[in-house]
Amino acid sequence: MTSSRVRVRFAPSPTGPLHMGGVRTALYNYLFAKKHGGDFLIRIEDTDQVRSTRASEEAILKSLRWLGLEWDQGPDVGGPHGPYRQSERGDIYRGYADLLIEKGHAFHCFCTSDRLDRLRREQKLNSQPPGYDGLCSGLSATEVADRHAKGEASVIRMHVPREGTCNVPDMLRDPIAIDWKQVDMQVLLKSDGMPSYHLANVVDDHLMEITHVIRGEEWISSTPKHILLYQYFEWDAPTFCHLPLLRNADKSKLSKRKNPTSIDYYQRIGILPEALMNYLGMMGWTMPNGEEKFTLQEMIDNFDITRISLGGPVFDVAKLSWLNGRYIRESLDNQQFGQRLQEWAFNSDYISQFLPMVQDRVELLSDVAPLAAFFFAGMPDVSAEDFANNRIDQPTMSKLLQLVLWKLETERNWDKEHVMADVKAVGDHMGLKLKDMLAPIFVAITGSPRSVSVLDAMVVLGPDLTRGRLRHALNVVGAPSKKQQKELEKEFQQIAAFLD
Ligand code: GLU
């Protein structure tokens, strides 16, 4: 290890909003740093330039701030190891990729995507694990130079032993044995000169003097590549700690298909950040005194990373709400409660977004609150009967809600024009009149058959709450069966293709 002071990082890829799993990772890194008097860094891993956006980066940092986590170094606060955004560190990685070529640990690969696709198909047919077959690994320096001179594009891949086993050390487990033949000869530098996640991650963890890599379990299978890179560079590897995946109540991996996972959703339904932090702590370990409600400082004082339990923690929204209720009742006095409500949604910034829609529809000022109540609600109180009163039958409605939900899950421009286009595309595809198809969406979003314009309401409510309500409605109406979902996914690909 290059530094004895504990240094950890949270390294999100800004390809969407901050998710619950990410918050848990950020929190545990933060606690570990604070417990050991160390540093907590934020590094933005935006080497996937197609999917990364600056708006996502800003949204992620905003959510982290809302949660009360402060970082010592990061893209917005700077620090001695910057830049903290990988897209601004391109030259650094190129130098290190060249170094590996020089040392004979990496090679230029000229294989075309056609060849790689064919290879993947053959491997699938022969039930072999997918991976590069090493065709270019033996090219001589002259052959490489000739092909470059002819204008052929290449990527840089790492050599990976084909025999033996890598034992991945982990703070929470016995070493995890992974056969080298399961490990792909990973691309380190793409043909456009951008590094892959693996190269950038290892180089940055080294240069930023990271001592402990605390991240989700889904990265275990990548760790042999990282360990090998540390060896190739002759650097000490950090200590690894892979956190168990958060799970839905049915033990499946926490995914937005079953539970809302974005932090914005929980903020919008009125979860307090301190309750969320407390809950995520509670999911990982128990306090010595058995108390379930504890502050961030108490968490820091009692944090022992080796006590994190590996038994697939279940993310239980009901338990989170219960804990949130305790915070509201026990930790806030009347004045603080009022202040929190104002910060949350009872403020003119928020209210002014929908007042113009309401003004045209009321006679008395006292008509406003009932009409606008759904702007302050979480999930509307709807039953199957509320959906029964319209022109489309249950199977059609269930299909419609499912397709609209999927379509909106892919929407990155949350404004009226795009939301409307998405909803209309599904309606056109299903041959439904706009008026008929909007009826169930109306009930799903506003909780009643008549209200303000539903598309405007969806824009104000935002993507997470809108999707949450559509998902809720789908459960109330009856979601398509697993088999129907499979068929529908195919159908959905068609609309997606035609719209994008
Ligand atoms: N950018 C990776 C992610 O989005 C970071 C993984 C790691 O911590 O190494 O999760």
Side-chain angles (χ1 to χ4, degrees):
M1 239 170 276
T2 45
S3 157
S4 54
R5 183 182 170 85
V6 162
R7 284 171 63 81
V8 294
R9 74 331 189 250
F10 175 54
S13 297
T15 55
L18 184 61
H19 282 199
M20 205 48 86
V23 179
R24 196 266 314 250
T25 302
L27 171 67
Y28 287 21
N29 272 286
Y30 174 87
L31 295 174
F32 188 73
K34 296 298 148 196
K35 172 80 190 183
H36 297 281
D39 298 325
F40 173 56
L41 280 68
I42 303 277
R43 181 174 72 228
I44 299 295
E45 300 208 326
D46 57 351
T47 54
D48 180 346
Q49 298 212 295
V50 180
R51 295 174 58 231
S52 301
T53 64
R54 199 47 89 83
S56 294
E57 174 188 320
E58 276 158 21
I60 290 171
L61 296 183
K62 192 169 159 218
S63 296
L64 290 171
R65 261 184 239 113
W66 174 71
L67 290 164
L69 297 179
E70 280 171 18
W71 44 100
D72 305 292
Q73 298 173 26
D76 53 342
V77 293
H81 297 78
Y84 294 89
R85 199 175 279 121
Q86 290 186 328
S87 57
E88 292 166 12
R89 300 171 64 82
D91 295 339
I92 302 177
Y93 310 121
R94 273 190 288 279
Y96 283 106
D98 290 340
L99 181 67
L100 289 182
I101 297 252
E102 249 168 62
K103 286 171 160 246
H105 295 314
F107 57 95
H108 285 280
C109 169
F110 293 89
C111 291
T112 58
S113 47
D114 275 355
R115 170 166 199 274
L116 297 174
D117 285 346
R118 238 179 302 128
L119 182 65
R120 217 166 293 136
R121 276 199 302 272
E122 276 164 28
Q123 286 167 334
K124 205 168 172 193
L125 268 175
N126 300 328
S127 313
Q128 290 165 338
Y132 185 62
D133 60 355
L135 182 71
C136 294
S137 66
L139 295 179
S140 68
T142 343
E143 283 171 295
V144 168
D146 283 351
R147 293 178 73 165
H148 277 154
K150 278 192 228 140
E152 274 189 62
S154 70
V155 300
I156 294 181
R157 286 183 188 271
M158 66 192 287
H159 282 295
V160 176
R162 292 295 85 192
E163 277 168 15
T165 310
C166 176
N167 287 308
V168 178
D170 189 285
M171 286 175 96
L172 301 179
R173 307 164 174 79
D174 290 335
I176 308 153
I178 299 180
D179 287 342
W180 282 118
K181 58 174 181 304
Q182 307 281 347
V183 180
D184 195 13
M185 296 177 209
Q186 182 65 50
V187 172
L188 299 177
L189 204 72
K190 303 173 213 169
S191 53
D192 61 2
M194 279 306 265
S196 64
Y197 151 75
H198 305 276
L199 177 66
N201 187 272
V202 164
V203 166
D204 284 349
D205 280 345
H206 173 71
L207 296 179
M208 295 181 180
E209 299 179 32
I210 297 302
T211 56
H212 296 76
V213 166
I214 304 169
R215 61 184 172 195
E217 202 167 67
E218 69 273 27
W219 296 103
I220 289 180
S221 59
S222 299
T223 311
K225 295 172 193 169
H226 302 175
I227 291 177
L228 200 55
L229 286 172
Y230 285 105
Q231 284 171 12
Y232 287 168
F233 286 121
E234 298 176 57
W235 295 336
D236 288 334
T239 302
F240 293 103
C241 176
H242 291 96
L243 303 171
L245 289 184
L246 302 186
R247 309 219 162 248
N248 295 305
D250 63 4
K251 289 278 173 184
S252 59
K253 180 177 163 228
L254 190 68
S255 74
K256 61 181 179 194
R257 292 264 160 118
K258 301 236 166 89
N259 256 320
T261 54
S262 111
I263 297 315
D264 299 345
Y265 170 83
Y266 293 93
Q267 184 177 8
R268 289 299 298 252
I269 64 167
I271 295 288
L272 303 174
E274 58 269 42
L276 182 56
M277 296 283 89
N278 183 160
Y279 180 64
L280 289 174
M282 213 169 103
M283 289 177 78
W285 70 89
T286 44
M287 280 291 184
N289 62 2
E291 176 52 276
E292 293 188 299
K293 181 163 171 271
F294 37 80
T295 63
L296 197 56
Q297 189 56 48
E298 285 167 326
M299 268 197 263
I300 296 171
D301 296 341
N302 289 286
F303 188 65
D304 174 358
I305 200 160
T306 59
R307 285 202 2 251
I308 291 176
S309 87
L310 287 178
V314 170
F315 186 79
D316 178 355
V317 184
K319 181 113 198 205
L320 170 62
S321 306
W322 164 82
L323 187 63
N324 201 61
R326 277 191 67 184
Y327 271 87
I328 290 184
R329 292 188 304 273
E330 298 167 16
S331 302
L332 303 178
D333 61 26
N334 293 157
Q335 199 193 350
Q336 289 165 326
F337 179 52
Q339 207 174 333
R340 288 304 194 85
L341 267 178
Q342 277 181 28
E343 285 165 17
W344 172 64
F346 285 73
N347 57 63
S348 59
D349 265 3
Y350 182 58
I351 292 175
S352 61
Q353 290 180 41
F354 58 79
L355 275 194
M357 306 176 206
V358 176
Q359 194 172 353
D360 287 347
R361 291 177 165 80
V362 293
E363 287 179 354
L364 304 174
L365 296 180
S366 56
D367 292 335
V368 172
L371 191 62
F374 75 91
F375 283 110
F376 299 96
M379 292 305 109
D381 183 15
V382 284
S383 64
E385 289 88 73
D386 295 313
F387 291 90
N389 239 346
N390 59 56
R391 286 161 175 270
I392 40 185
D393 57 19
Q394 192 277 343
T396 313
M397 195 152 33
S398 151
K399 176 175 170 177
L400 167 73
L401 290 170
Q402 180 66 79
L403 290 179
V404 169
L405 176 60
W406 283 341
K407 189 67 206 138
L408 291 177
E409 273 172 358
T410 65
E411 185 53 77
R412 294 174 136 225
N413 300 300
W414 200 260
D415 55 31
K416 188 166 180 189
E417 188 194 333
H418 286 88
V419 170
M420 161 96 102
D422 292 337
V423 170
K424 246 186 119 292
V426 175
D428 289 350
H429 169 76
M430 291 180 67
L432 295 171
K433 284 199 196 117
L434 189 64
K435 192 166 164 275
D436 293 341
M437 72 168 300
L438 280 183
I441 297 180
F442 228 109
V443 177
I445 300 297
T446 71
S448 89
R450 262 180 311 277
S451 187
V452 299
S453 144
V454 70
L455 292 167
D456 287 312
M458 285 156 85
V459 174
V460 172
L461 290 169
D464 299 292
L465 207 47
T466 298
R467 293 168 194 149
R469 288 187 187 180
L470 287 170
R471 203 172 293 112
H472 179 65
L474 201 52
N475 291 336
V476 170
V477 167
S481 68
K482 277 230 162 77
K483 194 166 160 248
Q484 288 164 332
Q485 290 237 4
K486 283 228 157 87
E487 296 291 309
L488 264 185
E489 294 226 23
K490 280 191 214 141
E491 212 175 309
F492 174 68
Q493 297 310 331
Q494 293 168 3
I495 339 176
F498 128 81
L499 247 193
D500 291 337

